[in-house]
Amino acid sequence: MREGDEALLMNTDDIRGFFASREQLDMADYLTLEYYVECVGDIETALAHFCSEQSTAQWRRVGHDEDFRPRFGAKVIGLQIEGELEQLSYPVQHSETGPIHACRVTIAHPHRNFGPKLPNLLTAVCGEGVFFTPGIPVVKLLDITFPEPYLNAFDGPKFGIEGIRDLLKAYDRPIFFGVVKPNIGLSPAHFAEIAMESWLGGLDIAKDDEMLADVEWSTLAERSRELGLARIRAEKETGEPKVYLANITDEVGSLKEQHDVAVRNGANALLINALPVGLSAVRMLAAYTKVPLIGHFPFIAAFSRMEKYGIHSRVMTKLQRLAGLDSIIMPGFGSRMMTPEEEVKENIAECLQDFGHIRRSLPVPGGSDSALTLETVYRKVGSVDFGFVPGRGIFGHPMGPKAGAASIRQAWDAIEKGVSLERYAEGHPELGAMVAGARRSH
Amino acid sequence: MREGDEALLMNTDDIRGFFASREQLDMADYLTLEYYVECVGDIETALAHFCSEQSTAQWRRVGHDEDFRPRFGAKVIGLQIEGELEQLSYPVQHSETGPIHACRVTIAHPHRNFGPKLPNLLTAVCGEGVFFTPGIPVVKLLDITFPEPYLNAFDGPKFGIEGIRDLLKAYDRPIFFGVVKPNIGLSPAHFAEIAMESWLGGLDIAKDDEMLADVEWSTLAERSRELGLARIRAEKETGEPKVYLANITDEVGSLKEQHDVAVRNGANALLINALPVGLSAVRMLAAYTKVPLIGHFPFIAAFSRMEKYGIHSRVMTKLQRLAGLDSIIMPGFGSRMMTPEEEVKENIAECLQDFGHIRRSLPVPGGSDSALTLETVYRKVGSVDFGFVPGRGIFGHPMGPKAGAASIRQAWDAIEKGVSLERYAEGHPELGAMVAGARRSH
């Protein structure tokens, strides 16, 4: 919270207490935070406030000779001044005057201030202190690095990529998801028919749309009953394991019950909209779940799309993995998804790179996908460790969902064989229909 | 989810299915959503996609003669073209070309698509559909209006303003909060000493900072025990009811237990960081709580500060009230808090205005406050129905926290008596110290 402006004045000694070098600190006690900031006025003063506001705003009691900063203060440990700006990158009302500098700043933030708890972590690193620092009207949290002792308090994904592959017995290739469409309005019986077709066509995972959860006209109980039975039939017919991915996004007080209903009925993976339920609810559910937990991305764009303001999507991917999602659906490649390619790649890397003892999550970059986009996505990801998730690219296929799913598998076969889609389409009418459709619309 | 670009083509009939007039709809079945959008290319096409993407993206099965739009489609019911722009207000990668228009659009969104559940509501109105519509790279959710049948599924605040006033026996004046400072680092015993002083000085509610929760060096159990006892002593000494507002922000699986520990030990109101735990967790806790629940605002600025992108803070205030917060702390007046005055007023109004059967929440506009800012805040709020929440303005007072609290009450007495602070400071040294401090810093 804030105080009278008078109390905001800091002298040189006050400011110095919020700067340190990595060597002076036991970094096992600190998270490392990267921010982009636009500082108005004196840079060091603004950054001292930035540290003060996100940690121990008033570091001594009146009338006591004490200093809480060494133990509890956040500290600047790195600063790169990118340049002076004529004006803020975005107009924001603020109280300071003076030159404006764009900076990258690295902060060591003592995690003893909040502990290994996601809501309290978020409060510290992207809460009031960070977004209401005098002299810093524009700020973006770019990254968080966690020391081993902090990571050790988290379990992370229970299954991870390997668990999902084992469930499907699918190795050395991408995992093929499909979002059953029409996404809203289908009766459970019709929904099951369509999912069935897509499994028979070669899909691994038929999923609920992230907007379809437990509603009166398609209760989770009824839908998962229909889909659970259909899944078993599909497995018998194809001889391959299949997954029904049920969306149990709901009020957090109902999540465990929704998990139980869906899993009992045969859903063998669960979808959860991470930010709408909250990352902490994801962590709770991840500790509880008997099946892989797959996250979807609603809400994240609201604070991550601006280049220089808000919170980078990479931070959210990292926190979703930390919270325990076995797979993370995220905005994928192509201008359709309004996300720079480099950012998509960073988010994929966040799922796959070393992260203490935390298992790898399966990244699922989604958007505008069909048999026609698979190769591009595969090349950009650079490995088979990803999920591919068309919606209308399967369920809007002119020959129906079975053909839609088949077209995806055919596209993958073409890639594996090193044959062009056009050539492979000869003799594969499902793929052929997609190739012909693309030709018509150009 | 997304599909091949080809499937995105809509003909005139397709587009028409996403437009309606209010008179054609039973508005009891719809939420009314207000958005600011920047449309690239044809406006009606972009808006039809906007409706399609947030509801029934593919509205018929292949090979079936059906149309899910009448029952499940979101529909444009109002459009105001504000003007043509030379470029997007913020650079965002996108796939469309053509003229850019700034518009205000009103959407009727059928709530049967998700039901009275906060995570599913958020997914629909600020999820993937809204932020990844082709042709709408820039969008801000400005407001939501709920029909009576939808509101009736929510309980809202259990106590509300009246409940908080009854608890404190404080009527016809603002409620005086104070954030105990130093906020991070104090032992529970020292924390209790300082809170005690502030209660004796006239504070109603001594509160934990939003960043201080249950940590090893100040467990909630120990702190609430110390504070609970101190509160009872303060009530005996002053003859007035007092509140210790304990921050129970924690992993959602621990919230009820934290509630029980704090309340058993004598905390008689609870602080929760609404967005970090998630609005749904707030709703769960509001149904459970035995004492008033007060929300703090970390994270909200990350998606509400840009004028033309993200989600308006008004929406979050409304949803926090709907979720059941008896009081809502929010960024207050003055350039220090980087929030336009009109927006602060809108947020205050969201707490107080009619909202079906939902009780009023006590708005607490915070930031830079002290005895010197009370009159300004009071005049801007326009009534006594608000909370006032200094931090260092009380606990950084040169004569100590008791004097700090007294200075606030003296400032209120001066307002009530219609006497200037300067004049009332004569004979009231606690207020005098604040007035003199302000004089020195000018």
Side-chain angles (χ1 to χ4, degrees):
Chain A
M1 292 303 308
R2 300 289 165 280
E3 76 287 47
D5 287 341
E6 191 206 3
L8 278 175
L9 301 173
M10 286 200 197
N11 64 34
T12 314
D13 264 356
D14 293 342
I15 291 171
R16 202 173 298 138
F18 290 110
F19 284 76
S21 69
R22 242 172 237 271
E23 294 66 37
Q24 291 170 308
L25 306 175
D26 180 350
M27 290 304 289
D29 291 339
Y30 291 85
L31 308 189
T32 308
L33 310 174
E34 294 284 336
Y35 291 97
Y36 170 83
V37 294
E38 296 185 3
C39 296
V40 183
D42 181 65
I43 296 173
E44 294 203 343
T45 302
L47 293 179
H49 281 303
F50 192 60
C51 289
S52 160
E53 295 293 336
Q54 68 178 266
S55 60
T56 180
Q58 178 184 314
W59 60 86
R60 66 169 66 91
R61 287 170 289 169
V62 171
H64 290 75
D65 183 19
E66 61 192 357
D67 187 350
F68 290 156
R69 287 174 298 175
R71 195 165 155 75
F72 299 101
K75 288 150 201 102
V76 176
I77 58 170
L79 171 62
Q80 190 186 331
I81 300 171
E82 296 187 346
E84 191 169 342
L85 306 176
E86 283 188 26
Q87 53 181 20
L88 293 173
S89 293
Y90 315 101
V92 176
Q93 172 180 310
H94 61 283
S95 49
E96 296 68 31
T97 52
I100 301 173
H101 288 93
C103 308
R104 297 265 308 223
V105 59
T106 308
I107 305 282
H109 192 124
H111 54 75
R112 66 167 58 88
N113 289 11
F114 46 85
K117 303 172 179 192
L118 293 170
N120 308 278
L121 166 67
L122 290 173
T123 300
V125 306
C126 44
E128 180 182 350
V130 167
F131 283 95
F132 295 89
T133 291
I136 304 189
V138 171
V139 52
K140 186 168 187 175
L141 173 60
L142 300 177
D143 203 359
I144 310 179
T145 309
F146 300 96
E148 208 69 28
Y150 193 82
L151 278 187
N152 286 342
F154 290 83
D155 295 326
K158 201 178 265 180
F159 302 91
I161 293 184
E162 282 67 27
I164 292 173
R165 290 202 178 283
D166 287 344
L167 180 62
L168 286 162
K169 299 194 175 41
Y171 307 94
D172 303 319
R173 65 164 174 83
I175 303 298
F176 297 110
F177 293 64
V179 194
V180 175
K181 301 272 173 182
N183 57 328
I184 299 282
L186 280 177
S187 71
H190 288 157
F191 196 98
E193 273 173 25
I194 289 177
M196 183 73 188
E197 286 187 53
S198 70
W199 281 319
L200 296 181
L203 210 63
D204 296 313
I205 302 181
K207 74 179 277 292
D208 291 345
D209 190 270
E210 86 280 2
M211 287 193 289
L212 175 65
D214 180 35
V215 280
E216 280 180 21
W217 47 269
S218 181
T219 64
L220 181 71
E222 195 183 341
R223 196 168 67 250
S224 58
R225 202 156 42 231
E226 294 274 0
L227 272 286
L229 293 172
R231 176 175 69 82
I232 290 165
R233 287 201 311 275
E235 290 178 338
K236 280 194 185 138
E237 278 197 43
T238 61
E240 293 168 355
K242 298 291 182 186
V243 167
Y244 165 52
L245 176 54
N247 182 6
I248 63 162
T249 299
D250 207 297
E251 297 289 2
V252 298
S254 306
L255 289 178
K256 290 181 179 178
E257 189 190 329
Q258 296 285 66
H259 164 283
D260 293 347
V261 167
V263 171
R264 191 167 51 232
N265 286 347
N268 47 351
L270 298 174
L271 186 75
I272 187 89
N273 298 340
L275 270 287
V277 299
L279 291 168
S280 179
V282 171
R283 187 182 186 186
M284 177 186 76
L285 194 61
Y288 182 79
T289 190
K290 293 191 168 63
V291 299
L293 211 56
I294 294 168
H296 199 280
F297 61 90
F299 207 91
I300 293 177
F303 54 79
S304 66
R305 181 170 294 166
M306 298 291 101
E307 188 192 349
K308 297 175 176 179
Y309 185 78
I311 303 166
H312 198 286
S313 61
R314 171 205 296 133
V315 175
M316 287 298 130
T317 301
K318 190 173 285 194
L319 293 179
Q320 288 180 82
R321 183 175 169 196
L322 189 64
L325 289 177
D326 299 289
S327 173
I328 299 171
I329 302 176
M330 57 181 71
F333 298 103
S335 55
R336 169 76 179 81
M337 295 307 283
M338 307 178 194
T339 309
E341 182 166 323
E342 189 52 35
E343 185 172 334
V344 179
K345 288 183 173 171
E346 285 164 350
N347 279 302
I348 291 169
E350 284 296 346
C351 293
L352 300 175
Q353 69 202 7
D354 285 351
F355 193 33
H357 71 294
I358 306 288
R359 285 191 182 82
R360 298 189 308 156
S361 292
L362 179 73
V364 187
S368 287
D369 286 314
S370 72
L372 306 174
T373 65
L374 177 58
E375 180 159 7
T376 307
V377 174
Y378 169 56
R379 300 294 170 209
K380 287 184 198 282
V381 172
S383 89
V384 295
D385 280 333
F386 70 99
F388 189 66
V389 61
R392 284 166 278 189
I394 292 173
F395 300 96
H397 190 286
M399 297 160 66
K402 186 175 171 185
S407 73
I408 306 292
R409 296 304 294 263
Q410 290 160 4
W412 180 250
D413 292 342
I415 293 166
E416 280 202 313
K417 293 184 206 297
V419 177
S420 76
L421 280 196
E422 287 68 21
R423 193 158 145 221
Y424 204 72
E426 297 163 18
H428 294 100
E430 298 88 350
L431 181 58
M434 293 302 292
V435 171
R439 209 175 292 131
R440 270 198 309 280
S441 70
H442 283 304
Chain B
M1 291 306 305
R2 298 292 163 277
E3 75 285 51
D5 287 342
E6 191 207 6
L8 278 174
L9 300 173
M10 285 198 197
N11 64 34
T12 314
D13 263 357
D14 293 342
I15 291 171
R16 202 173 298 139
F18 291 110
F19 284 75
S21 69
R22 240 173 239 272
E23 294 65 37
Q24 292 171 307
L25 305 175
D26 180 351
M27 290 303 290
D29 291 337
Y30 291 86
L31 307 190
T32 308
L33 310 175
E34 295 284 336
Y35 291 96
Y36 170 83
V37 293
E38 297 184 2
C39 297
V40 183
D42 181 64
I43 295 172
E44 294 202 345
T45 303
L47 293 179
H49 281 302
F50 192 60
C51 289
S52 161
E53 295 292 337
Q54 70 179 266
S55 60
T56 180
Q58 177 183 317
W59 58 87
R60 66 169 65 92
R61 286 169 290 168
V62 172
H64 289 76
D65 183 21
E66 61 192 358
D67 188 349
F68 290 157
R69 287 174 299 176
R71 194 163 157 77
F72 299 101
K75 288 149 200 102
V76 175
I77 58 170
L79 171 62
Q80 192 186 329
I81 300 171
E82 294 187 345
E84 190 170 342
L85 306 176
E86 284 189 25
Q87 53 181 21
L88 293 173
S89 294
Y90 316 100
V92 176
Q93 172 180 311
H94 61 284
S95 49
E96 296 67 32
T97 53
I100 300 172
H101 287 94
C103 307
R104 296 266 306 224
V105 58
T106 308
I107 306 281
H109 193 123
H111 53 75
R112 66 167 60 87
N113 290 10
F114 47 85
K117 303 173 179 193
L118 293 170
N120 307 278
L121 166 67
L122 291 173
T123 300
V125 306
C126 43
E128 179 183 350
V130 167
F131 283 97
F132 295 88
T133 292
I136 304 190
V138 171
V139 51
K140 186 168 186 173
L141 173 60
L142 299 176
D143 204 0
I144 310 179
T145 309
F146 301 96
E148 208 71 27
Y150 194 83
L151 278 187
N152 286 343
F154 290 83
D155 295 326
K158 201 177 264 181
F159 302 92
I161 293 183
E162 283 66 29
I164 292 172
R165 290 201 178 284
D166 287 346
L167 179 63
L168 286 163
K169 298 194 171 51
Y171 307 95
D172 304 319
R173 64 164 174 84
I175 303 298
F176 297 111
F177 293 64
V179 193
V180 174
K181 300 272 174 180
N183 56 329
I184 299 283
L186 279 176
S187 70
H190 288 156
F191 196 100
E193 274 174 22
I194 288 177
M196 183 74 188
E197 285 188 53
S198 70
W199 281 320
L200 296 180
L203 210 61
D204 295 313
I205 301 180
K207 76 179 275 293
D208 291 345
D209 189 271
E210 87 280 1
M211 288 193 288
L212 175 66
D214 180 35
V215 279
E216 279 179 22
W217 46 269
S218 180
T219 64
L220 181 71
E222 193 182 341
R223 194 167 71 249
S224 60
R225 201 155 43 232
E226 293 273 1
L227 272 287
L229 293 171
R231 176 176 69 82
I232 290 165
R233 287 201 311 275
E235 289 178 336
K236 281 196 184 135
E237 277 198 43
T238 61
E240 292 167 355
K242 298 292 182 186
V243 167
Y244 165 52
L245 175 53
N247 182 7
I248 64 162
T249 299
D250 207 295
E251 298 288 3
V252 298
S254 307
L255 289 177
K256 290 181 179 176
E257 187 190 328
Q258 296 284 63
H259 165 283
D260 293 348
V261 166
V263 170
R264 190 167 53 234
N265 285 346
N268 48 351
L270 298 175
L271 186 75
I272 187 89
N273 298 342
L275 271 286
V277 298
L279 290 167
S280 179
V282 171
R283 187 181 186 186
M284 176 186 76
L285 195 62
Y288 182 80
T289 189
K290 293 192 165 64
V291 301
L293 211 55
I294 294 167
H296 200 280
F297 61 91
F299 207 92
I300 294 177
F303 53 81
S304 65
R305 181 171 294 164
M306 298 292 100
E307 188 192 349
K308 297 174 177 180
Y309 185 78
I311 304 166
H312 198 286
S313 61
R314 173 206 296 132
V315 174
M316 287 298 129
T317 301
K318 190 173 284 192
L319 293 179
Q320 288 180 81
R321 183 175 169 196
L322 189 64
L325 289 177
D326 299 289
S327 174
I328 298 171
I329 303 176
M330 58 181 70
F333 298 103
S335 55
R336 169 75 179 80
M337 293 308 282
M338 306 179 194
T339 311
E341 181 165 323
E342 190 52 35
E343 185 172 335
V344 179
K345 287 182 173 171
E346 285 164 349
N347 278 303
I348 292 169
E350 284 297 345
C351 293
L352 299 174
Q353 70 202 7
D354 285 350
F355 193 33
H357 72 292
I358 306 287
R359 286 190 181 84
R360 300 190 306 156
S361 291
L362 180 73
V364 186
S368 288
D369 287 313
S370 72
L372 306 174
T373 65
L374 178 57
E375 180 158 8
T376 306
V377 174
Y378 169 56
R379 300 294 171 208
K380 288 184 197 283
V381 173
S383 89
V384 296
D385 280 333
F386 71 99
F388 189 67
V389 60
R392 283 166 278 190
I394 292 173
F395 299 94
H397 190 286
M399 296 160 66
K402 184 174 173 185
S407 73
I408 305 292
R409 298 302 297 262
Q410 290 161 4
W412 181 250
D413 292 343
I415 293 167
E416 280 202 312
K417 291 184 208 297
V419 177
S420 75
L421 281 195
E422 287 69 21
R423 195 161 143 217
Y424 203 72
E426 297 165 19
H428 294 99
E430 297 89 350
L431 182 58
M434 293 301 293
V435 171
R439 207 176 291 130
R440 270 198 310 278
S441 69
H442 284 303

